[in-house]
PDB file of all heavy atoms in Angstrom:
ATOM      1  N   ALA A 105     -37.084 -73.615-148.477  1.00 96.00           N
ATOM      2  CA  ALA A 105     -38.198 -73.507-149.496  1.00 96.00           C
ATOM      3  C   ALA A 105     -39.470 -74.136-148.916  1.00 96.00           C
ATOM      4  O   ALA A 105     -40.559 -73.547-148.982  1.00 96.00           O
ATOM      5  CB  ALA A 105     -37.860 -74.186-150.821  1.00 96.00           C
ATOM      6  N   ARG A 106     -39.242 -75.311-148.407  1.00 96.00           N
ATOM      7  CA  ARG A 106     -40.409 -76.000-147.747  1.00 96.00           C
ATOM      8  C   ARG A 106     -40.974 -75.153-146.686  1.00 96.00           C
ATOM      9  O   ARG A 106     -42.227 -75.024-146.567  1.00 96.00           O
ATOM     10  CB  ARG A 106     -39.849 -77.342-147.276  1.00 96.00           C
ATOM     11  CG  ARG A 106     -40.871 -78.120-146.475  1.00 96.00           C
ATOM     12  CD  ARG A 106     -40.127 -79.357-145.884  1.00 96.00           C
ATOM     13  NE  ARG A 106     -40.803 -79.726-144.607  1.00 96.00           N
ATOM     14  CZ  ARG A 106     -41.957 -80.484-144.639  1.00 96.00           C
ATOM     15  NH1 ARG A 106     -42.488 -80.858-145.844  1.00 96.00           N
ATOM     16  NH2 ARG A 106     -42.527 -80.755-143.468  1.00 96.00           N
ATOM     17  N   GLU A 107     -40.176 -74.675-145.790  1.00 96.00           N
ATOM     18  CA  GLU A 107     -40.690 -73.936-144.626  1.00 96.00           C
ATOM     19  C   GLU A 107     -41.330 -72.670-145.002  1.00 96.00           C
ATOM     20  O   GLU A 107     -42.431 -72.266-144.453  1.00 96.00           O
ATOM     21  CB  GLU A 107     -39.520 -73.689-143.631  1.00 96.00           C
ATOM     22  CG  GLU A 107     -39.944 -73.169-142.283  1.00 96.00           C
ATOM     23  CD  GLU A 107     -41.120 -73.976-141.728  1.00 96.00           C
ATOM     24  OE1 GLU A 107     -41.165 -75.208-141.908  1.00 96.00           O
ATOM     25  OE2 GLU A 107     -41.915 -73.419-140.979  1.00 96.00           O
ATOM     26  N   ARG A 108     -40.749 -71.914-146.010  1.00 95.00           N
ATOM     27  CA  ARG A 108     -41.430 -70.708-146.380  1.00 95.00           C
ATOM     28  C   ARG A 108     -42.858 -70.963-146.858  1.00 95.00           C
ATOM     29  O   ARG A 108     -43.795 -70.244-146.553  1.00 95.00           O
ATOM     30  CB  ARG A 108     -40.607 -70.084-147.547  1.00 95.00           C
ATOM     31  CG  ARG A 108     -39.451 -69.190-147.053  1.00 95.00           C
ATOM     32  CD  ARG A 108     -39.072 -68.194-148.142  1.00 95.00           C
ATOM     33  NE  ARG A 108     -38.732 -68.867-149.366  1.00 95.00           N
ATOM     34  CZ  ARG A 108     -37.426 -69.236-149.680  1.00 95.00           C
ATOM     35  NH1 ARG A 108     -36.460 -69.033-148.766  1.00 95.00           N
ATOM     36  NH2 ARG A 108     -37.171 -69.780-150.753  1.00 95.00           N
ATOM     37  N   LEU A 109     -43.005 -71.998-147.698  1.00 95.00           N
ATOM     38  CA  LEU A 109     -44.341 -72.381-148.220  1.00 95.00           C
ATOM     39  C   LEU A 109     -45.214 -72.760-147.150  1.00 95.00           C
ATOM     40  O   LEU A 109     -46.520 -72.346-147.192  1.00 95.00           O
ATOM     41  CB  LEU A 109     -44.140 -73.435-149.301  1.00 95.00           C
ATOM     42  CG  LEU A 109     -45.138 -73.187-150.515  1.00 95.00           C
ATOM     43  CD1 LEU A 109     -45.052 -71.841-151.036  1.00 95.00           C
ATOM     44  CD2 LEU A 109     -44.759 -74.240-151.558  1.00 95.00           C
ATOM     45  N   ARG A 110     -44.797 -73.492-146.192  1.00 95.00           N
ATOM     46  CA  ARG A 110     -45.622 -73.980-145.111  1.00 95.00           C
ATOM     47  C   ARG A 110     -46.077 -72.705-144.318  1.00 95.00           C
ATOM     48  O   ARG A 110     -47.275 -72.705-143.955  1.00 95.00           O
ATOM     49  CB  ARG A 110     -44.862 -74.855-144.076  1.00 95.00           C
ATOM     50  CG  ARG A 110     -44.695 -76.295-144.446  1.00 95.00           C
ATOM     51  CD  ARG A 110     -44.308 -77.078-143.280  1.00 95.00           C
ATOM     52  NE  ARG A 110     -45.236 -77.004-142.214  1.00 95.00           N
ATOM     53  CZ  ARG A 110     -46.340 -77.772-142.070  1.00 95.00           C
ATOM     54  NH1 ARG A 110     -46.593 -78.580-142.998  1.00 95.00           N
ATOM     55  NH2 ARG A 110     -47.071 -77.613-141.039  1.00 95.00           N
ATOM     56  N   GLN A 111     -45.237 -71.777-144.155  1.00 96.00           N
ATOM     57  CA  GLN A 111     -45.660 -70.522-143.435  1.00 96.00           C
ATOM     58  C   GLN A 111     -46.713 -69.727-144.225  1.00 96.00           C
ATOM     59  O   GLN A 111     -47.605 -69.226-143.683  1.00 96.00           O
ATOM     60  CB  GLN A 111     -44.462 -69.660-143.178  1.00 96.00           C
ATOM     61  CG  GLN A 111     -43.476 -70.200-142.168  1.00 96.00           C
ATOM     62  CD  GLN A 111     -42.338 -69.268-141.896  1.00 96.00           C
ATOM     63  OE1 GLN A 111     -42.002 -68.392-142.734  1.00 96.00           O
ATOM     64  NE2 GLN A 111     -41.658 -69.488-140.783  1.00 96.00           N
ATOM     65  N   ARG A 112     -46.607 -69.762-145.556  1.00 95.00           N
ATOM     66  CA  ARG A 112     -47.598 -69.199-146.358  1.00 95.00           C
ATOM     67  C   ARG A 112     -48.980 -69.817-146.073  1.00 95.00           C
ATOM     68  O   ARG A 112     -49.984 -69.131-145.917  1.00 95.00           O
ATOM     69  CB  ARG A 112     -47.320 -69.331-147.829  1.00 95.00           C
ATOM     70  CG  ARG A 112     -46.222 -68.426-148.278  1.00 95.00           C
ATOM     71  CD  ARG A 112     -46.663 -67.803-149.640  1.00 95.00           C
ATOM     72  NE  ARG A 112     -45.871 -66.664-149.800  1.00 95.00           N
ATOM     73  CZ  ARG A 112     -46.082 -65.797-150.799  1.00 95.00           C
ATOM     74  NH1 ARG A 112     -47.000 -66.031-151.662  1.00 95.00           N
ATOM     75  NH2 ARG A 112     -45.277 -64.775-150.909  1.00 95.00           N
ATOM     76  N   PHE A 113     -48.989 -71.098-146.133  1.00 96.00           N
ATOM     77  CA  PHE A 113     -50.253 -71.808-145.954  1.00 96.00           C
ATOM     78  C   PHE A 113     -50.830 -71.701-144.523  1.00 96.00           C
ATOM     79  O   PHE A 113     -52.058 -71.758-144.340  1.00 96.00           O
ATOM     80  CB  PHE A 113     -50.070 -73.283-146.275  1.00 96.00           C
ATOM     81  CG  PHE A 113     -50.060 -73.613-147.823  1.00 96.00           C
ATOM     82  CD1 PHE A 113     -48.999 -74.315-148.362  1.00 96.00           C
ATOM     83  CD2 PHE A 113     -50.990 -73.065-148.637  1.00 96.00           C
ATOM     84  CE1 PHE A 113     -48.904 -74.574-149.705  1.00 96.00           C
ATOM     85  CE2 PHE A 113     -51.056 -73.279-150.041  1.00 96.00           C
ATOM     86  CZ  PHE A 113     -49.932 -73.970-150.445  1.00 96.00           C
ATOM     87  N   THR A 114     -49.916 -71.547-143.557  1.00 95.00           N
ATOM     88  CA  THR A 114     -50.467 -71.452-142.205  1.00 95.00           C
ATOM     89  C   THR A 114     -50.585 -70.038-141.768  1.00 95.00           C
ATOM     90  O   THR A 114     -50.855 -69.705-140.596  1.00 95.00           O
ATOM     91  CB  THR A 114     -49.500 -72.186-141.200  1.00 95.00           C
ATOM     92  OG1 THR A 114     -48.116 -71.647-141.402  1.00 95.00           O
ATOM     93  CG2 THR A 114     -49.480 -73.697-141.474  1.00 95.00           C
ATOM     94  N   LEU A 115     -50.486 -69.153-142.753  1.00 96.00           N
ATOM     95  CA  LEU A 115     -50.680 -67.716-142.517  1.00 96.00           C
ATOM     96  C   LEU A 115     -49.720 -67.124-141.497  1.00 96.00           C
ATOM     97  O   LEU A 115     -50.071 -66.114-140.795  1.00 96.00           O
ATOM     98  CB  LEU A 115     -52.112 -67.454-142.032  1.00 96.00           C
ATOM     99  CG  LEU A 115     -53.224 -68.003-143.003  1.00 96.00           C
ATOM    100  CD1 LEU A 115     -54.607 -67.792-142.430  1.00 96.00           C
ATOM    101  CD2 LEU A 115     -53.108 -67.255-144.378  1.00 96.00           C
ATOM    102  N   GLN A 116     -48.538 -67.718-141.402  1.00 96.00           N
ATOM    103  CA  GLN A 116     -47.509 -67.104-140.540  1.00 96.00           C
ATOM    104  C   GLN A 116     -46.728 -66.151-141.408  1.00 96.00           C
ATOM    105  O   GLN A 116     -45.781 -65.479-140.858  1.00 96.00           O
ATOM    106  CB  GLN A 116     -46.632 -68.198-139.947  1.00 96.00           C
ATOM    107  CG  GLN A 116     -47.390 -69.155-139.025  1.00 96.00           C
ATOM    108  CD  GLN A 116     -46.533 -70.317-138.657  1.00 96.00           C
ATOM    109  OE1 GLN A 116     -45.810 -70.862-139.450  1.00 96.00           O
ATOM    110  NE2 GLN A 116     -46.662 -70.681-137.379  1.00 96.00           N
ATOM    111  N   ARG A 117     -46.965 -66.155-142.669  1.00 95.00           N
ATOM    112  CA  ARG A 117     -46.236 -65.378-143.511  1.00 95.00           C
ATOM    113  C   ARG A 117     -47.101 -65.087-144.739  1.00 95.00           C
ATOM    114  O   ARG A 117     -47.964 -65.865-145.056  1.00 95.00           O
ATOM    115  CB  ARG A 117     -44.953 -66.049-144.001  1.00 95.00           C
ATOM    116  CG  ARG A 117     -43.761 -65.181-144.449  1.00 95.00           C
ATOM    117  CD  ARG A 117     -42.655 -66.018-144.871  1.00 95.00           C
ATOM    118  NE  ARG A 117     -42.936 -66.899-146.013  1.00 95.00           N
ATOM    119  CZ  ARG A 117     -42.696 -66.560-147.266  1.00 95.00           C
ATOM    120  NH1 ARG A 117     -41.998 -65.398-147.500  1.00 95.00           N
ATOM    121  NH2 ARG A 117     -42.939 -67.318-148.275  1.00 95.00           N
ATOM    122  N   GLY A 118     -46.882 -64.030-145.496  1.00 94.00           N
ATOM    123  CA  GLY A 118     -47.612 -63.834-146.650  1.00 94.00           C
ATOM    124  C   GLY A 118     -47.963 -62.362-146.917  1.00 94.00           C
ATOM    125  O   GLY A 118     -47.611 -61.485-146.025  1.00 94.00           O
ATOM    126  N   ARG A 119     -48.537 -62.100-147.932  1.00 95.00           N
ATOM    127  CA  ARG A 119     -48.765 -60.629-148.289  1.00 95.00           C
ATOM    128  C   ARG A 119     -50.108 -60.573-149.061  1.00 95.00           C
ATOM    129  O   ARG A 119     -50.292 -61.356-150.005  1.00 95.00           O
ATOM    130  CB  ARG A 119     -47.583 -60.290-149.189  1.00 95.00           C
ATOM    131  CG  ARG A 119     -47.649 -58.862-149.677  1.00 95.00           C
ATOM    132  CD  ARG A 119     -46.629 -58.760-150.774  1.00 95.00           C
ATOM    133  NE  ARG A 119     -46.866 -57.433-151.427  1.00 95.00           N
ATOM    134  CZ  ARG A 119     -46.252 -56.290-150.963  1.00 95.00           C
ATOM    135  NH1 ARG A 119     -45.408 -56.368-149.949  1.00 95.00           N
ATOM    136  NH2 ARG A 119     -46.447 -55.201-151.612  1.00 95.00           N
ATOM    137  N   VAL A 120     -50.989 -59.732-148.588  1.00 97.00           N
ATOM    138  CA  VAL A 120     -52.221 -59.589-149.407  1.00 97.00           C
ATOM    139  C   VAL A 120     -52.314 -58.146-149.725  1.00 97.00           C
ATOM    140  O   VAL A 120     -52.120 -57.272-148.983  1.00 97.00           O
ATOM    141  CB  VAL A 120     -53.449 -59.902-148.463  1.00 97.00           C
ATOM    142  CG1 VAL A 120     -54.679 -59.824-149.256  1.00 97.00           C
ATOM    143  CG2 VAL A 120     -53.296 -61.286-147.926  1.00 97.00           C
ATOM    144  N   THR A 121     -52.575 -57.918-151.067  1.00 97.00           N
ATOM    145  CA  THR A 121     -52.705 -56.549-151.556  1.00 97.00           C
ATOM    146  C   THR A 121     -54.161 -56.255-151.793  1.00 97.00           C
ATOM    147  O   THR A 121     -54.892 -57.016-152.472  1.00 97.00           O
ATOM    148  CB  THR A 121     -51.883 -56.372-152.842  1.00 97.00           C
ATOM    149  OG1 THR A 121     -52.237 -57.443-153.757  1.00 97.00           O
ATOM    150  CG2 THR A 121     -50.435 -56.362-152.584  1.00 97.00           C
ATOM    151  N   ILE A 122     -54.657 -55.110-151.364  1.00 98.00           N
ATOM    152  CA  ILE A 122     -56.080 -54.772-151.419  1.00 98.00           C
ATOM    153  C   ILE A 122     -56.175 -53.346-152.041  1.00 98.00           C
ATOM    154  O   ILE A 122     -55.287 -52.481-151.776  1.00 98.00           O
ATOM    155  CB  ILE A 122     -56.650 -54.654-149.992  1.00 98.00           C
ATOM    156  CG1 ILE A 122     -56.583 -56.140-149.395  1.00 98.00           C
ATOM    157  CG2 ILE A 122     -58.076 -54.154-150.042  1.00 98.00           C
ATOM    158  CD1 ILE A 122     -57.089 -56.101-147.935  1.00 98.00           C
ATOM    159  N   ALA A 123     -57.176 -53.201-152.934  1.00 98.00           N
ATOM    160  CA  ALA A 123     -57.519 -51.941-153.386  1.00 98.00           C
ATOM    161  C   ALA A 123     -58.901 -51.662-152.954  1.00 98.00           C
ATOM    162  O   ALA A 123     -59.790 -52.559-153.198  1.00 98.00           O
ATOM    163  CB  ALA A 123     -57.341 -51.832-154.923  1.00 98.00           C
ATOM    164  N   ALA A 124     -59.249 -50.474-152.483  1.00 97.00           N
ATOM    165  CA  ALA A 124     -60.617 -50.272-151.974  1.00 97.00           C
ATOM    166  C   ALA A 124     -60.988 -48.826-152.342  1.00 97.00           C
ATOM    167  O   ALA A 124     -60.131 -47.984-152.280  1.00 97.00           O
ATOM    168  CB  ALA A 124     -60.739 -50.449-150.491  1.00 97.00           C
ATOM    169  N   MET A 125     -62.171 -48.590-152.711  1.00 95.00           N
ATOM    170  CA  MET A 125     -62.693 -47.270-152.985  1.00 95.00           C
ATOM    171  C   MET A 125     -62.636 -46.493-151.627  1.00 95.00           C
ATOM    172  O   MET A 125     -62.845 -47.116-150.581  1.00 95.00           O
ATOM    173  CB  MET A 125     -64.036 -47.232-153.569  1.00 95.00           C
ATOM    174  CG  MET A 125     -65.143 -47.787-152.774  1.00 95.00           C
ATOM    175  SD  MET A 125     -66.729 -47.578-153.592  1.00 95.00           S
ATOM    176  CE  MET A 125     -67.839 -48.309-152.505  1.00 95.00           C
ATOM    177  N   PRO A 126     -62.359 -45.213-151.660  1.00 91.00           N
ATOM    178  CA  PRO A 126     -62.011 -44.442-150.457  1.00 91.00           C
ATOM    179  C   PRO A 126     -63.051 -44.619-149.346  1.00 91.00           C
ATOM    180  O   PRO A 126     -62.710 -44.759-148.182  1.00 91.00           O
ATOM    181  CB  PRO A 126     -61.990 -43.013-150.946  1.00 91.00           C
ATOM    182  CG  PRO A 126     -61.540 -43.129-152.373  1.00 91.00           C
ATOM    183  CD  PRO A 126     -62.214 -44.370-152.877  1.00 91.00           C
ATOM    184  N   SER A 127     -64.356 -44.608-149.751  1.00 90.00           N
ATOM    185  CA  SER A 127     -65.397 -44.628-148.683  1.00 90.00           C
ATOM    186  C   SER A 127     -65.330 -45.957-147.985  1.00 90.00           C
ATOM    187  O   SER A 127     -65.553 -46.018-146.731  1.00 90.00           O
ATOM    188  CB  SER A 127     -66.764 -44.443-149.324  1.00 90.00           C
ATOM    189  OG  SER A 127     -66.927 -45.324-150.362  1.00 90.00           O
ATOM    190  N   PHE A 128     -65.039 -47.033-148.691  1.00 95.00           N
ATOM    191  CA  PHE A 128     -64.890 -48.332-148.025  1.00 95.00           C
ATOM    192  C   PHE A 128     -63.576 -48.421-147.283  1.00 95.00           C
ATOM    193  O   PHE A 128     -63.606 -48.922-146.093  1.00 95.00           O
ATOM    194  CB  PHE A 128     -64.860 -49.399-149.126  1.00 95.00           C
ATOM    195  CG  PHE A 128     -65.101 -50.860-148.586  1.00 95.00           C
ATOM    196  CD1 PHE A 128     -66.411 -51.378-148.456  1.00 95.00           C
ATOM    197  CD2 PHE A 128     -64.021 -51.555-148.120  1.00 95.00           C
ATOM    198  CE1 PHE A 128     -66.564 -52.634-147.944  1.00 95.00           C
ATOM    199  CE2 PHE A 128     -64.116 -52.871-147.661  1.00 95.00           C
ATOM    200  CZ  PHE A 128     -65.418 -53.335-147.505  1.00 95.00           C
ATOM    201  N   ALA A 129     -62.512 -47.915-147.807  1.00 95.00           N
ATOM    202  CA  ALA A 129     -61.256 -47.926-147.141  1.00 95.00           C
ATOM    203  C   ALA A 129     -61.245 -47.179-145.874  1.00 95.00           C
ATOM    204  O   ALA A 129     -60.618 -47.567-144.935  1.00 95.00           O
ATOM    205  CB  ALA A 129     -60.167 -47.374-148.137  1.00 95.00           C
ATOM    206  N   ALA A 130     -61.991 -46.113-145.910  1.00 91.00           N
ATOM    207  CA  ALA A 130     -62.054 -45.247-144.653  1.00 91.00           C
ATOM    208  C   ALA A 130     -63.007 -45.708-143.586  1.00 91.00           C
ATOM    209  O   ALA A 130     -62.761 -45.636-142.394  1.00 91.00           O
ATOM    210  CB  ALA A 130     -62.339 -43.810-145.065  1.00 91.00           C
ATOM    211  N   ASN A 131     -64.204 -46.317-144.087  1.00 91.00           N
ATOM    212  CA  ASN A 131     -65.209 -46.552-143.112  1.00 91.00           C
ATOM    213  C   ASN A 131     -65.342 -47.978-142.641  1.00 91.00           C
ATOM    214  O   ASN A 131     -66.018 -48.307-141.650  1.00 91.00           O
ATOM    215  CB  ASN A 131     -66.613 -46.004-143.662  1.00 91.00           C
ATOM    216  CG  ASN A 131     -66.475 -44.528-143.803  1.00 91.00           C
ATOM    217  OD1 ASN A 131     -66.482 -43.783-142.809  1.00 91.00           O
ATOM    218  ND2 ASN A 131     -66.397 -44.045-145.021  1.00 91.00           N
ATOM    219  N   ILE A 132     -64.999 -48.912-143.501  1.00 93.00           N
ATOM    220  CA  ILE A 132     -65.229 -50.372-143.292  1.00 93.00           C
ATOM    221  C   ILE A 132     -63.877 -51.111-142.977  1.00 93.00           C
ATOM    222  O   ILE A 132     -63.803 -51.799-142.035  1.00 93.00           O
ATOM    223  CB  ILE A 132     -65.891 -51.053-144.463  1.00 93.00           C
ATOM    224  CG1 ILE A 132     -67.179 -50.321-144.817  1.00 93.00           C
ATOM    225  CG2 ILE A 132     -66.224 -52.500-144.143  1.00 93.00           C
ATOM    226  CD1 ILE A 132     -68.324 -50.534-143.961  1.00 93.00           C
ATOM    227  N   LEU A 133     -62.939 -50.832-143.868  1.00 96.00           N
ATOM    228  CA  LEU A 133     -61.732 -51.622-143.716  1.00 96.00           C
ATOM    229  C   LEU A 133     -60.902 -51.527-142.428  1.00 96.00           C
ATOM    230  O   LEU A 133     -60.505 -52.469-141.902  1.00 96.00           O
ATOM    231  CB  LEU A 133     -60.710 -51.249-144.914  1.00 96.00           C
ATOM    232  CG  LEU A 133     -60.824 -52.124-146.167  1.00 96.00           C
ATOM    233  CD1 LEU A 133     -59.785 -51.751-147.167  1.00 96.00           C
ATOM    234  CD2 LEU A 133     -60.692 -53.658-145.795  1.00 96.00           C
ATOM    235  N   PRO A 134     -60.754 -50.256-141.926  1.00 96.00           N
ATOM    236  CA  PRO A 134     -59.902 -50.111-140.671  1.00 96.00           C
ATOM    237  C   PRO A 134     -60.346 -51.102-139.585  1.00 96.00           C
ATOM    238  O   PRO A 134     -59.458 -51.744-139.037  1.00 96.00           O
ATOM    239  CB  PRO A 134     -60.071 -48.730-140.322  1.00 96.00           C
ATOM    240  CG  PRO A 134     -60.380 -48.030-141.611  1.00 96.00           C
ATOM    241  CD  PRO A 134     -61.254 -48.929-142.324  1.00 96.00           C
TER     242      PRO A 134
END
Side-chain angles (χ1 to χ4, degrees):
Chain A
R106 176 187 150 78
E107 190 49 31
R108 274 202 303 270
L109 216 50
R110 276 195 62 83
Q111 288 181 343
R112 284 226 160 186
F113 281 129
T114 55
L115 302 177
Q116 296 172 320
R117 199 179 69 92
R119 179 192 171 88
V120 183
T121 49
I122 296 176
M125 61 177 180
S127 52
F128 193 91
N131 296 289
I132 307 282
L133 266 186

